[in-house]
Amino acid sequence: MPTRVKICGITTWDDARLSIDLGASALGFNFYPPSPRAISPADAWSIIRRLPPFVEAVGVFVNWPPLVVDALARALRLDSVQLHGAESPAQVDELARKHRVIKAVQVTRGFRVASLARYRAARGLRGGTGHTLDWKLAHDASRYGRIILAGGLTPENIAEAIRIAAPYAVDVASGVEARPGRKDPARLRALFAAIDTGR
């Protein structure tokens, strides 16, 4: 099965369109205001409403109350919500009753793969800090759910990451940027070329 690709931190239609044309199956919209990749709900909607069929819109949230995540997800017609904060398993469960949920998990020293069992309601589990992680560990984590590999992925390492981790999907943001919040067309093309070559 081909590895799905999500390009995250989308802030412009031009970046969204190029990502889609190159083969992205999902785009991420960051609703965490301190992030340099943050986008307002209104600006996100101006892009989401133009997405073609079979391209998913994923909202990225950090420690938002579940009721507020639910309201915005409905208003923007998000396909999935991606939780990047300290959301509890109970909060993940609550949102998973209404939406597809991706729970981000930071993989730090001493991380135990078995801790992922707490988030069984999530449809995907991902990590991502802009730094690469032990891809073998990500592969081992797949017994707890579909793994979306993130963190430090670039055109230069994406093929190896996919070969080792065998993830359900990859999630790339900073690795294809010209600057935070704006994609570099050449790096986007190189990323998808590397993925196609590795298949």
Side-chain angles (χ1 to χ4, degrees), residues 28-170:
F29 299 90
N30 188 326
F31 300 115
Y32 180 56
S35 171
R37 299 169 188 87
I39 189 169
S40 71
D43 287 343
W45 176 244
S46 74
I47 298 169
I48 292 168
R49 66 185 176 81
R50 299 172 72 177
L51 297 182
F54 309 115
V55 175
E56 295 198 1
V58 181
V60 177
F61 301 90
V62 179
N63 296 328
W64 283 40
L67 285 175
V68 183
V69 173
D70 175 48
L72 188 59
R74 290 175 186 274
L76 295 181
R77 301 179 191 167
L78 297 176
D79 297 290
S80 300
V81 297
Q82 185 168 312
L83 307 177
H84 265 260
E87 297 88 4
S88 68
Q91 290 173 313
V92 171
D93 290 350
E94 180 180 344
L95 280 166
R97 286 194 286 271
K98 302 172 184 175
H99 305 279
R100 288 184 292 180
V101 175
I102 301 164
K103 178 65 182 107
V105 180
Q106 287 193 3
V107 179
T108 56
R109 186 180 300 277
F111 175 79
R112 292 176 50 249
V113 172
S115 68
L116 298 177
R118 301 168 57 219
Y119 296 104
R120 292 229 182 248
R123 299 289 184 95
L125 298 163
R126 73 176 293 282
T129 61
H131 303 287
T132 57
L133 54 84
D134 180 346
W135 296 325
K136 176 69 168 62
L137 187 68
H139 182 271
D140 294 345
S142 64
R143 66 178 173 266
Y144 294 101
R146 290 180 170 165
I147 297 300
I148 303 168
L149 188 66
L153 298 175
T154 68
E156 294 77 22
N157 66 18
I158 192 74
E160 183 181 9
I162 291 171
R163 181 180 61 77
I164 294 170
Y168 172 75
V170 292

